[in-house]
Every structure is written in C-alpha cells, then in structure tokens.
Amino acid sequence: MRRTHPRAPRGFRVPLSPLLPAPGFGFCVWTMAGLDAVTWTVFGLWLAGGLALHLSYGIRHSRLNEPGGSAATDRTGR
C-alpha cells in the first residue's frame, strides 16, 4: 500500500519512533539472552516443525502446481 497509495492516511504510527522501539528491542534481546539452552532447543524444534508444515502445505497447494499455473496473478489475487 505504501507504493500503490502513498498518500493514503495511515491508521497507526509508532509513538516516538525511533526513540521508543529501540529500547523495546533492547529489552527483548536482554530477556532472550537470559533463556536456558533447553528453551532455545525446544524453540528451534518448534520452529523447524512449523517451517516443515508450512513448506509441505505450500508445495501441495501452490498455484504453480496446477496445469497452466503461473506466478503472475491478476489484481484480485487469483
């Protein structure tokens, strides 16, 4: 939308950007740094499982797998 309608009104803007998001990012990194290795391992397994599920669904339901399928879509997203 930013490219197709650059002058359209935006519904939300981050307050005090970039002063507020920067400390928020820092606090997230600080919190994540305190997590145990077991937590990171379980997170990695869940992430890998979710990625495998996402990719297997995408491969089976891709429009490119249809006869005459093309990467190009019309304006309605079909």
Side-chain angles (χ1 to χ4, degrees):
M1 191 167 148
R2 188 174 304 249
R3 281 187 250 146
T4 59
H5 297 84
R7 299 203 188 277
R10 304 289 184 242
F12 177 76
R13 291 187 53 132
V14 175
L16 300 174
S17 179
L19 299 176
L20 191 61
F25 176 76
F27 283 126
C28 285
V29 170
W30 178 61
T31 302
M32 291 168 60
L35 296 175
D36 293 335
V38 173
T39 305
W40 284 108
T41 303
V42 172
F43 171 69
L45 292 172
W46 272 105
L47 191 64
L51 182 63
L53 183 68
H54 178 74
L55 290 175
S56 66
Y57 179 87
I59 288 170
R60 282 184 279 134
H61 293 87
S62 174
R63 290 192 184 122
L64 295 175
N65 282 339
E66 297 173 1
S70 169
T73 58
D74 64 11
R75 297 293 259 170
T76 62
R78 290 187 229 159

